[in-house]
Amino acid sequence: MFENPWFETIAEAQRRARKRLPSTVYGALVAGSERGRTIDANTDAFAQLGFVPRLVGHHAQRDLSTTVLGVPTSMPVLVSPTGVQAVHPEGEVAVARAAASRGVVMGLSSFASRSVEDVAAAGPDLFFQMYWSGSREAMTQRMDRARAAGAKALVVTLDWSFSHGRDWGSPSIPEKLDLRTALRFAPDVLPRPGWLWKYARSGRLPDLTTPNMLDAGGRALTFFGAYGEWMQTPPPTWSDIAWLRAEWGGPFLLKGVARVDDARRAVDAGVTALSVSNHGGNNLDTTPAAVRILPAIAAAVGDQVEVLMDGGVRRGGDVAKALALGARAVMIGRAYLWGLAANGQTGVENVLDILRGGLDSAVLGLGHGSVHDLSPADLVVPADFPLALGVTAEETVLRP
């Protein structure tokens, strides 16, 4: 039976991704730490928020555009950096083309399967993401390379503890692909001939190296080699973050903030922006939903730095809710990866169009002409919904 390549919801993109990908590859997309409570909390939290629509006085035209770290974007949605996009042969290059075609910013992971040069050539509005990994010299070289390729901002991710505990079993990811590995994974891959055929036509195997992470000899590390380097690097101090900020010298986004006191320390370290995040449920399980801890952080530092949020965004209405609670923009991860798996570049464009349509509908229904007009007054917020983590006993919890 013919299946329309266009899908109407991100849930349908996920269904198609599950249908088309080998189970181990799909499992890597949906896995979270331990029992996955935080993954569910991220999405469930948006459903707890209600809209307060207006009946008359709607705007015939709505402006969804904004800027993030000085870069214009057609809507307040950024493609979040995610590592090793083996769900499609073109990987990050296809995503960059999709982001460019829809006028949004793409974040490229340092653990990506395609080089920063190739991805920057496919999409000019690029933010490069780094972990605190390796020596200062190695990190400086990565920043210099990203800058030379045209990256417009640096994203430093700290909310990743890489928990080993996954109650339903962590998907097996090979160190490298060779004949022995191919035979071992054949029972999982052969039932998905469409995915295998895409790679066969491309003339390349799923790439598990990280060309933006090089060893001392200039060779690309494997994913686990890059992970091992990160594991062996002593965790950074706030002084280290200030050093990284100075070395980059341009717009700088710190990703992973969940506490008000950390947000204030980030401001002191000189960041341009921060993202309220729990790494999509891949950090410490049972961390509260990002959108619940967004309002207090936005109230505390939103007049000093740009505040973004990521985690659980599946609809354009979710974007509107995050903006109403103080976010300048949101970052998406799993949603666009499902689109990439479902239909390559076109699938990512499909996901971005779904989010844009839902956001536009929300702005229209709430009686606004711009995303910048969204406010807590547009929402029904349960009394116990906002959480302020990392505040003193004397501080008042600010609620929308």
Side-chain angles (χ1 to χ4, degrees), residues 7-8 16 34 68 70 86 88 98 139 149 172 189 209 224 278-279 331 346 361 389:
F7 42 84
E8 300 294 334
R16 295 189 188 190
E34 299 179 0
V68 179
H88 190 276
M139 286 185 271
S172 177
V189 174
T209 60
F224 284 104
N278 50 45
H279 210 97
M331 305 174 77
T346 302
S361 293
L389 310 181

Side-chain angles (χ1 to χ4, degrees), residues 116 128 140 142-152 246-250:
V116 64
F128 184 70
T140 298
R142 284 177 209 136
M143 286 186 282
D144 289 344
R145 182 179 170 189
R147 190 183 298 108
K152 296 182 177 179
E247 283 294 308
W248 174 252

Side-chain angles (χ1 to χ4, degrees), residues 13-57:
Q14 181 180 2
R15 185 194 70 80
R16 295 189 188 190
R18 184 171 188 171
K19 179 180 178 182
R20 296 178 184 184
L21 292 174
S23 61
T24 50
V25 179
Y26 177 76
L29 293 187
V30 297
S33 61
E34 299 179 0
R35 293 191 67 183
R37 297 292 196 193
T38 295
I39 291 180
D40 293 339
N42 278 340
T43 54
D44 292 347
F46 281 106
Q48 296 175 38
L49 298 168
F51 284 125
V52 185
R54 295 183 183 276
L55 183 63
V56 177

